[in-house]
DNA sequence: AGGCAGGTTCTTA
DNA sequence: TAAGAACCTGCC
């Protein structure tokens, strides 16, 4: 099917923004894998895109995934060029980034894995886990088999040794424990959608292998709470270099997480 | 060859 | 409560 998008939307920027690990350039378009769904999407020009899914699947899944009901143009308009020149430049540069609505379970495991790893290494580990514990759902535009992200039950069938075999290193035991917690019902990620930000943070920090950075990534990308502001080494460099008087968190509330994405993407692309 | 990568836990004071 | 060390693995 073909859709037309008026708001900010840039496939390459979304793929490179660091919020998703299964969204990659593929043939003459991009492949996106989320949970047990695969999408091939190709830009046609003039805001038009060709999608490999049915209209029904778009309406019921991908439309939400791409957060089509939120205007990122309006969020960018909160930035005042004269007041915050660096963020303004970053937002112009990053125009097209959106915060995807991804699954809390998939994001939790992905960001536990992410610690002290670079993005290619994170992606490689996740693909190994999917191939080992998920199931085949499609063949992508380059002819490669595509595997679903394993459900908690599927992932719980892997031993710590098998997880370790996915290049998780010392994170193997974190992933294993999180999986057991979810499968046992001790952790109910779905019900956490109802609790407030502070309570959610406390719940996440109680998980083995989850600290402040990973928890904030889960809150922003897994629960789509756009005010969460993960601080990694890149963001800390930006805050130190560009915001000695402090970032204007009060001004951008409740969209600080979107601003974080612009800062992250800009700093990574420019070494600033 | 040694250091570091989108951190967190464990140990020590 | 707060620093500092240890941690898997892969890639410069």
């Amino acid at each position: 099917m073909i859709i037309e998008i008026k708001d900010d939307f840039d496939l390459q920027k979304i793929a490179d923004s660091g919020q998703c690990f299964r969204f990659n350039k593929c043939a003459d378009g991009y492949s996106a894998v989320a949970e047990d769904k695969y999408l091939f999407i190709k830009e046609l020009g003039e805001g038009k895109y060709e999608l490999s899914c049915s209209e029904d699947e778009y309406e019921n899944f991908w439309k939400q995934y791409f957060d089509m009901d939120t205007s990122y143009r309006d969020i960018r308009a909160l930035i005042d060029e004269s007041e915050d020149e660096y963020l303004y430049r970053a937002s112009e540069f990053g125009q097209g980034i959106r915060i995807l609505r991804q699954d809390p379970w998939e994001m939790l495991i992905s960001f536990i894995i992410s610690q002290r790893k670079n993005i290619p290494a994170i992606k490689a580990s996740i693909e190994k886990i999917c191939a080992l514990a998920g199931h085949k759902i499609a063949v992508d535009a380059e002819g490669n088999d595509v595997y679903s992200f394993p459900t908690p039950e599927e992932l719980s069938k892997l031993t710590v040794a098998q997880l370790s075999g996915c290049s998780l290193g010392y994170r193997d035991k974190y992933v294993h424990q999180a999986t057991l917690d979810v499968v046992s019902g001790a952790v109910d990620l779905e019900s956490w959608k109802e609790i407030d930000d502070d309570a959610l943070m406390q719940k996440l920090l109680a998980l083995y292998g989850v600290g402040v950075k990973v928890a904030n990534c889960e809150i922003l990308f897994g629960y789509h709470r756009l005010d969460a502001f993960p601080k990694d080494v890149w963001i800390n460099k930006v805050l130190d270099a560009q915001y000695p008087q402090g970032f204007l968190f009060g001004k951008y509330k409740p969209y600080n997480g979107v601003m974080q994405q612009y800062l992250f993407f800009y700093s990574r692309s420019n070494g600033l």
Side-chain angles (χ1 to χ4, degrees):
Chain A
M1 68 173 295
I2 290 175
I3 60 171
E4 184 171 359
I5 301 170
K6 304 285 192 185
D7 194 39
D8 294 6
F9 190 82
D10 187 306
L11 291 169
Q12 185 183 343
K13 289 177 186 172
I14 292 169
D16 294 341
S17 63
Q19 63 178 299
C20 49
F21 304 105
R22 308 194 74 198
F23 195 123
N24 298 297
K25 185 140 190 50
C26 182
D28 57 347
Y30 284 81
S31 69
V33 190
E35 303 173 53
D36 61 350
K37 296 186 173 53
Y38 165 78
L39 178 73
F40 178 71
I41 178 168
K42 183 170 143 182
E43 182 173 7
L44 301 175
E46 297 178 341
K48 292 197 170 75
Y49 292 83
E50 182 177 356
L51 278 58
S52 64
C53 64
S54 65
E55 275 189 48
D56 191 53
E57 186 172 298
Y58 176 72
E59 287 298 329
N60 290 305
F61 188 83
W62 295 107
K63 187 175 175 185
Q64 285 80 254
Y65 174 82
F66 285 114
D67 197 25
M68 290 307 194
D69 291 329
T70 301
S71 169
Y72 286 81
R73 185 182 303 263
D74 289 350
I75 293 174
R76 276 190 298 109
L78 296 173
I79 304 165
D80 185 333
E81 180 176 8
S82 59
E83 181 184 38
D84 196 338
E85 194 199 337
Y86 186 83
L87 180 60
Y88 183 79
R89 268 190 285 144
S91 67
E92 291 284 297
F93 185 81
Q95 178 179 344
I97 293 174
R98 310 178 70 77
I99 310 286
L100 303 173
R101 287 185 185 269
Q102 301 186 81
D103 176 59
W105 158 251
E106 182 168 343
M107 289 300 98
L108 177 64
I109 298 302
S110 297
F111 282 100
I112 286 175
I113 291 170
S114 79
Q115 59 189 260
R116 258 186 99 75
K117 270 180 176 287
N118 55 35
I119 290 176
I122 299 165
K123 288 182 173 180
S125 282
I126 291 173
E127 288 309 318
K128 286 180 191 172
I129 286 179
C130 293
L132 197 58
H135 50 277
K136 184 178 167 183
I137 54 172
V139 175
D140 74 16
E142 293 178 356
N144 304 303
D145 288 347
V146 178
Y147 295 88
S148 63
F149 192 88
T151 62
E153 289 69 27
E154 286 174 327
L155 196 55
S156 71
K157 295 193 169 51
L158 296 191
T159 63
V160 177
Q162 285 177 301
L163 287 168
S164 184
C166 297
S167 303
L168 296 196
Y170 61 87
R171 307 160 195 79
D172 56 5
K173 55 188 183 293
Y174 303 158
V175 170
H176 184 69
Q177 187 58 52
T179 303
L180 292 183
D181 288 345
V182 171
V183 168
S184 74
V187 164
D188 182 355
L189 298 175
E190 191 62 29
S191 72
W192 290 4
K193 291 179 178 175
E194 311 305 324
I195 64 182
D196 67 41
D197 290 6
D198 290 339
L200 179 57
M201 172 61 79
Q202 293 314 310
K203 290 280 193 187
L204 290 167
L205 290 178
L207 298 176
Y208 187 41
V210 175
V212 173
K213 157 58 167 69
V214 170
N216 269 308
C217 285
E218 171 72 348
I219 293 170
L220 178 57
F221 304 125
Y223 286 92
H224 202 77
R225 300 195 186 184
L226 300 184
D227 209 40
F229 193 95
K231 290 179 183 172
D232 52 47
V233 292
W234 294 93
I235 289 297
N236 282 328
K237 280 182 202 168
V238 171
L239 293 180
D240 286 348
Q242 305 293 336
Y243 295 92
Q245 280 87 34
F247 188 71
L248 301 174
F249 291 108
K251 176 179 172 72
Y252 304 122
K253 194 176 174 62
Y255 299 111
N256 283 295
V258 180
M259 306 312 175
Q260 189 270 10
Q261 281 290 278
Y262 293 135
L263 294 176
F264 179 75
F265 186 75
Y266 187 53
S267 66
R268 291 225 37 174
S269 306
N270 293 277
L272 263 172

